[in-house]
Amino acid sequence: MIPATFQAIINEILKDLVNESKITTFVDDMLVGTETEKRYDEIIEEVLKRLEENNLYIKLEKYM
């Protein structure tokens, strides 16, 4: 998949989270900044849910 196409897909899937500044995306990188660990966990759960619903997955070893 072309990086620009992937970026467009991610932006569409996470549009509301990006627009509300809850998450920032750049190709295959996603940054989440929150004031509490609880809120961080909620956003991560939502992101993972949306990725799975769209048949996209992360490689856990990349984030460990």
Side-chain angles (χ1 to χ4, degrees), residues 5-18:
T5 302
F6 184 75
Q7 179 71 54
I9 291 168
I10 292 297
N11 285 346
E12 184 61 31
I13 292 169
L14 303 173
K15 183 182 349 185
D16 60 318
L17 297 175
V18 171

Side-chain angles (χ1 to χ4, degrees), residues 6-32 43-54 56 58:
F6 184 75
Q7 179 71 54
I9 291 168
I10 292 297
N11 285 346
E12 184 61 31
I13 292 169
L14 303 173
K15 183 182 349 185
D16 60 318
L17 297 175
V18 171
N19 289 342
E20 295 170 9
S21 298
K22 295 179 180 176
I23 187 170
T24 301
T25 65
F26 181 73
V27 187
D28 64 347
D29 292 323
M30 297 175 202
L31 301 172
V32 177
I43 292 172
I44 293 299
E45 284 182 34
E46 182 63 26
V47 169
L48 292 175
K49 181 182 111 188
R50 291 183 193 191
L51 291 176
E52 184 176 19
E53 288 171 349
N54 289 277
L56 298 169
I58 64 168

